[in-house]
Structure formats: structure tokens, C-alpha cells
Amino acid sequence: MATAVMPTYARADLAFERGEGVYLYTQDGKRFLDFASGVAVSSLGHAHPHLTAALHAQIDKVLHTSNLYRIEGQERLAQRLVDASFASSAFFCNSGAEAVEAGLKLVRRFHQKNGRTDRYRVVTATNSFHGRTMHTISASRNEKHLDGFLPAIEHFDQVPFGNMNALRAAISDKTAAIIVEPVQGESGINPADPEYLKGLRAAADEFGILLMFDEVQTGMGRTGKLFAYEHSGVAPDVMALAKGLGGGFPIGACLASERVTAVMAPGTHGSTFGGNPMACAAANAVLDVMDEKFLAHVREIGADLKARLTKLVAKFPGVLKDVRGLGLMIGIEFDKPVNTDVVRLLEAKGLLTVVAGNNVVRFVPPLIIDASHVDEAVKIFEGVCADLARA
Ligand SMILES: *Cc1c(COP(=O)(O)O)cnc(C)c1O
């Protein structure tokens, strides 16, 4: 498998030629049920007719013009995201890390332009994941991600996720913002307690600092609401989006409230590709599909999938430990750290999943799955659990 691609990933020896709905197909026609969605990206599944048509139509018009000019699709997308959220503006980029990076810049500038140049530190949570840029690996402080890339950018204060006392104790005169994921994704699908999120909002308001949510994975319907923060009713000041936003086309966004938007002006931040006509055509098509009925479907089928998996925890006590999640962002915790092996076993039986943390298998299927896909996935998963129980 030696290739000229830089060896930064441990890839499965599989290559998909095409996708249709919830299935991916290899060149030799082997079919896989895709409960990975390219890491929670393919929110509408593969070859969704509305998304495909929107991209075809845009290809024939223009691919790229840059942010030197107005982009109609980008203005429309920004307005739709603003109308659906706490925000009053959106900045577009191309990935999750860039969306977080934009937010981390915004929270600094907010304070600097309000006369508080001493406020630049950001409080982060243990087991967080915010991306792979220097800024974002410094925020998450995952030792594996920092290995060989030290020194980390030092202006982050990390506290245990979910611990309100530790959070409040970490806030100082130098604190600019708090950043958390409403449901921690990469580290093992850990939903924040709504009371914790309320506590974060209260602390932010009390100390005059900003609250930023990283909804790169939880946003765009993944948890059964357009944005996960809606479950708790706690609105942030800044929010990063990416993964599901373009349904597979790369696009990220950083949304900001009115007072944060107020400190931005021409020349303060930028991206050559950000929010280009193709990316915005994709995201607008995704939003066309994600109406209230669609989101209700995600909540219902997600609850059904979670209930079915929870039964398996009782059935295979030595193998499975816990099932967690919201909507169609579900993590199954194993008793032992065996997850990559389990993902390979599931793959061999035609089910694609993703690892999270070191003992969790993540089910993040396209949001269009129906009961038959739940049956098929649970059957395969149960078979693998039975094999593991015998082993
Ligand atoms: C995936 C992810 C990122 C990073 O997104 P990239 O597109 O890989 O840069 C950031 N934050 C969260 C919560 C994520 O899940």
C-alpha cells in the first residue's frame, strides 16, 4: 500500500468508487452500509438528487470568483444561517479547524477593540477536539496531536469537561473566552449536561467573556436540531460549523453574535476559497432539505437506533459498556480498548463506522437513514458483538 501520499493516516485498505443513499460501493461492486458518513460529513448521504442537481447547475455557471466580489449564494447562505441561529453574521472558510481558528481570532479581537488588550486567554475542556492547526491542537492539548510539534501556543487554560467549579476557577482577568463542544465527538461522544452549558453561559456573562461552541461535528442536524445548542437553549457568542454543512463539499463557517460582528471590518480576516460559489451552492442545497420534518426524523430514528444499541449493552455485558449520544451522533463504549479492531470487523461484514477516543465506536450515519438501515446496522453490530463475546 505504499503511495506518494504523506503517511498521516492509518487507512483501511478500501477505496470507494461511488455512493448511493446510505451505501458506498467499491470498484468490484462490493456494497457497504455507510454509518461513518466520511466522519459525520455526508449528511444527506451519497448522490442526493437535490444536492447533486445544485452542484451540477453551479458547475455550469462559475466555480470560483473569490471574495474580491459579491457572491450571491454566499450572501443567501449567511442570511439563512443567521435566520436559523443566534448569530448576526457568518464568515466562510473551508474546514472545521479554520472555522474554529476564525472564532479564536474573533474572541481576541472582540476584547482588544473593546479596550481589553489584556484579555487573550481561552478556557478549553479536557478531551476536546478542535482541529489540527497549531492553534487548535494547542487548544485541545491532546498529547498525541502535539507530539513533535511543540511548543504549543500557550494561551489556553484547560479544565475537566463538565466540571463547573474548575471552569469558574480557571477564569482570570486575562480570559477572553470559553470554548466547548456541546457533544464531544472525537474523544468518545460525550454530551455536555444542559446544566453545564447553562453554567458556562452564566459564567461568561458574569465575567464579561465570550462563549464559543465548536459545532463542527454537532451542527447541521446531526443531533436532531439544526444546531446542538438548541437542545439546551444556551446560545453562544461564536460558533464554528463545518462537517455536515456542505453535505460532502468542503465548507466551514464561523457564526458570530451582533456585538462580536461589530468588531470586524474589511481586511480583518480572510480566505481565498472561503464560501466560494460551489461550496455555497452545496450548503444552500443542504439547508433546503433540512426542514423541521427532516430534523424530527433525525430525532426519532436516532432515538430508535440508540434504544436498539442500549439493549445490546445488556445482552453483551463483557463486551459493551455504554451507549451515549444525541440524534444520529451515537457512541458505543466497549469494555476494552478494541475499537480499531472492531471497526475492521464491522467493515468486513459491510458496515462502516468510525473510532472515537480509544474504546468507542461511533455511529454517525447519513441523516436520511430509515428503519431498514437501522435493522441492517444493528444486525451486523450484534453479530460482531456475539463473535467478541465468544472469543
Ligand atoms: C472534525 C472537527 C474539527 C476539525 O475539522 P476539520 O475539517 O478536520 O479541520 C473541529 N472540531 C470538531 C468538534 C470536529 O469534530
Side-chain angles (χ1 to χ4, degrees), residues 54 58 61-63 65-67 69-81 90 92 245 251 274-285 287-288:
Q58 189 59 51
K61 290 182 189 162
V62 65
L63 300 182
T65 58
S66 88
N67 289 298
Y69 311 102
R70 291 180 64 175
I71 299 171
E72 200 191 339
Q74 188 186 106
E75 291 177 11
R76 177 156 177 262
L77 177 60
Q79 190 61 52
R80 296 174 83 182
L81 291 172
F92 294 103
L245 180 57
I251 178 170
N276 96 351
M278 287 297 288
C280 292
N284 274 311
L287 274 177
D288 290 342

Side-chain angles (χ1 to χ4, degrees), residues 95-98 100 129-132 181 186 214 216-217 242-243:
S95 67
E98 277 178 276
V100 175
F129 181 75
H130 299 299
R132 294 298 202 111
E181 299 153 76
E186 301 301 309
D214 180 347
V216 167
Q217 190 161 162
K243 289 192 167 86

Side-chain angles (χ1 to χ4, degrees), residues 342-366:
V342 172
V343 166
R344 292 286 108 87
L345 293 172
L346 293 167
E347 219 168 75
K349 296 195 173 189
L351 176 65
L352 305 178
T353 58
V354 204
V355 158
N358 53 29
N359 55 354
V360 174
V361 169
R362 196 171 2 170
F363 278 16
V364 280

Side-chain angles (χ1 to χ4, degrees), residues 9 39-41 94-100 128-133 136 140 179-186 213-218 240-243 251-252 329 362:
Y9 300 99
V39 197
V41 166
N94 315 286
S95 67
E98 277 178 276
V100 175
S128 56
F129 181 75
H130 299 299
R132 294 298 202 111
T133 62
T136 52
S140 305
I179 178 173
V180 297
E181 299 153 76
V183 181
Q184 290 191 327
E186 301 301 309
F213 285 162
D214 180 347
E215 291 228 27
V216 167
Q217 190 161 162
T218 54
L241 297 175
K243 289 192 167 86
I251 178 170
M329 183 173 178
R362 196 171 2 170

Side-chain angles (χ1 to χ4, degrees), residues 41-68:
V41 166
S42 309
S43 45
L44 303 187
H46 304 284
H48 188 283
H50 184 67
L51 176 57
T52 300
L55 284 168
H56 277 295
Q58 189 59 51
I59 279 182
D60 289 335
K61 290 182 189 162
V62 65
L63 300 182
H64 178 81
T65 58
S66 88
N67 289 298
L68 296 173

Side-chain angles (χ1 to χ4, degrees), residues 7-271:
T8 61
Y9 300 99
R11 298 171 195 266
D13 190 13
L14 275 176
F16 301 107
E17 186 193 30
R18 66 187 182 89
E20 203 183 308
V22 187
Y23 294 95
L24 280 169
Y25 298 83
T26 56
Q27 191 129 32
D28 55 10
K30 199 159 185 272
R31 189 178 89 151
F32 291 81
L33 179 62
D34 184 10
F35 269 40
S37 302
V39 197
V41 166
S42 309
S43 45
L44 303 187
H46 304 284
H48 188 283
H50 184 67
L51 176 57
T52 300
L55 284 168
H56 277 295
Q58 189 59 51
I59 279 182
D60 289 335
K61 290 182 189 162
V62 65
L63 300 182
H64 178 81
T65 58
S66 88
N67 289 298
L68 296 173
Y69 311 102
R70 291 180 64 175
I71 299 171
E72 200 191 339
Q74 188 186 106
E75 291 177 11
R76 177 156 177 262
L77 177 60
Q79 190 61 52
R80 296 174 83 182
L81 291 172
V82 161
D83 288 346
S85 73
F86 68 93
S88 73
S89 71
F91 172 84
F92 294 103
C93 50
N94 315 286
S95 67
E98 277 178 276
V100 175
E101 182 78 27
L104 291 172
K105 285 181 70 179
L106 280 181
V107 300
R108 275 195 173 194
R109 191 174 164 90
F110 171 79
H111 291 290
Q112 294 192 16
K113 293 297 153 183
N114 282 295
R116 289 297 302 265
T117 50
D118 55 331
R119 286 194 157 175
Y120 61 90
R121 304 192 67 84
V122 175
V123 181
T124 68
T126 49
N127 300 318
S128 56
F129 181 75
H130 299 299
R132 294 298 202 111
T133 62
M134 204 58 233
H135 216 140
T136 52
I137 59 174
S138 302
S140 305
R141 209 188 283 171
N142 178 325
E143 274 179 33
K144 270 193 234 158
H145 296 173
L146 282 166
D147 181 38
F149 301 111
L150 296 169
I153 295 168
E154 69 77 40
H155 62 259
F156 294 99
D157 297 300
Q158 196 171 66
V159 295
F161 181 66
N163 184 326
M164 204 56 226
N165 290 336
L167 185 281
R168 292 180 76 93
I171 294 173
S172 75
D173 288 348
K174 294 192 168 71
T175 305
I178 304 162
I179 178 173
V180 297
E181 299 153 76
V183 181
Q184 290 191 327
E186 301 301 309
S187 66
I189 314 293
N190 289 302
D193 187 327
E195 289 310 310
Y196 178 61
L197 298 178
K198 284 179 192 147
L200 295 181
R201 182 72 267 174
D205 293 342
E206 182 181 336
F207 294 101
I209 62 185
L210 297 175
L211 180 60
M212 176 170 168
F213 285 162
D214 180 347
E215 291 228 27
V216 167
Q217 190 161 162
T218 54
M220 301 310 294
R222 176 56 55 193
T223 70
K225 297 273 188 184
L226 193 57
F227 309 114
Y229 79 78
E230 296 173 60
H231 289 284
S232 65
V234 174
D237 302 287
V238 177
M239 175 169 75
L241 297 175
K243 289 192 167 86
L245 180 57
F249 202 95
I251 178 170
C254 181
L255 274 58
S257 63
E258 195 167 359
R259 63 185 174 140
V260 178
T261 300
V263 301
M264 299 308 276
T268 51
H269 194 42
S271 166

Side-chain angles (χ1 to χ4, degrees), residues 84 218-227 230-231 286-287 289-302 327-328 367:
T218 54
M220 301 310 294
R222 176 56 55 193
T223 70
K225 297 273 188 184
L226 193 57
F227 309 114
E230 296 173 60
H231 289 284
V286 167
L287 274 177
V289 175
M290 289 189 183
D291 57 12
E292 201 30 63
K293 192 167 155 235
F294 182 95
L295 296 170
H297 169 75
V298 174
R299 292 194 291 274
E300 275 161 37
I301 200 118
L328 284 172
L367 307 181

